[in-house]
Amino acid sequence: MNLRKYGWLFGTTLLVGGIGGILAGFIVGRADLFDGGVGNFLIATFMNLLFGLSISVLTQMGFFAYMMLNYLAQSVFKSRGLWRNIQILLILFTFFDFVYLRYSLGVQGDSLWPYFVEPSVLLLVSVIAAYAKVRLTNPTAWVPTVFFLFVGTTIEWIPALRENAYSAIFMAVPLLFCNIWQVLHLQRLVKADPAS
């Protein structure tokens, strides 16, 4: 990947994050957007855009942190199958923690089942995106894509998960937009240019 390709990824991910922030504002903050005049609508939309842009920078840091982790793990674990199995265990561990830790911090006597919603939806989105990635590349992309999209997004999502459902959904939209965008475009960026 050269500087031009990185610049393209950075710029387009910013754009995708901004769009995700505006869309998240329409999904969860519709009442606030339309609860005033045109000025209120424009300022609220601009703030949602800035939020999405800042989330996109967070996702880019997470993406490059995962790429470094993946590179180091493949160097340490010579067997590709071992690193794949470790990623699968970490996906399962993250799913368990996602449910259990939020349940243990919730109101005593709550049902456990509502705490399965967010991790199950995130895992489903991760699997669908991994299917698209496999169609674009090869079958070995399944586990790394699900790992990055599920575990990486969960780690980046922690600040909003500690708040309320409004914050969680508001942050989830640009997070997923950016992470899916990056993972689906990576193979295009690491290919060698025919001219070089």
Side-chain angles (χ1 to χ4, degrees), residues 74-151:
Q74 287 179 359
S75 299
V76 170
F77 307 115
K78 300 299 182 190
S79 166
R80 210 175 249 257
L82 179 60
W83 173 229
R84 184 189 69 236
N85 292 339
I86 290 172
Q87 289 180 89
I88 291 170
L89 285 174
L90 288 172
I91 291 167
L92 297 174
F93 180 75
T94 303
F95 189 92
F96 171 78
D97 273 356
F98 201 149
V99 173
Y100 179 73
L101 292 178
R102 293 187 68 228
Y103 173 72
S104 66
L105 295 173
V107 178
Q108 194 156 7
D110 273 355
S111 171
L112 178 65
W113 296 112
Y115 293 96
F116 276 90
V117 173
E118 289 98 343
S120 298
V121 169
L122 180 57
L123 187 60
L124 178 65
V125 169
S126 301
V127 167
I128 292 169
Y131 176 75
K133 178 74 173 181
V134 165
R135 296 290 304 260
L136 292 171
T137 59
N138 59 57
T140 60
W142 263 112
V143 173
T145 303
V146 173
F147 177 81
F148 169 69
L149 289 176
F150 185 73
V151 177

Side-chain angles (χ1 to χ4, degrees), residues 13 15 29 39 66 72 85 123 137 139 143 151-152 154 157 173 182-183:
T13 305
L15 179 65
Y66 169 70
L72 291 172
N85 292 339
L123 187 60
T137 59
V143 173
V151 177
T154 300
W157 203 11
V173 174
Q182 291 176 105
V183 84

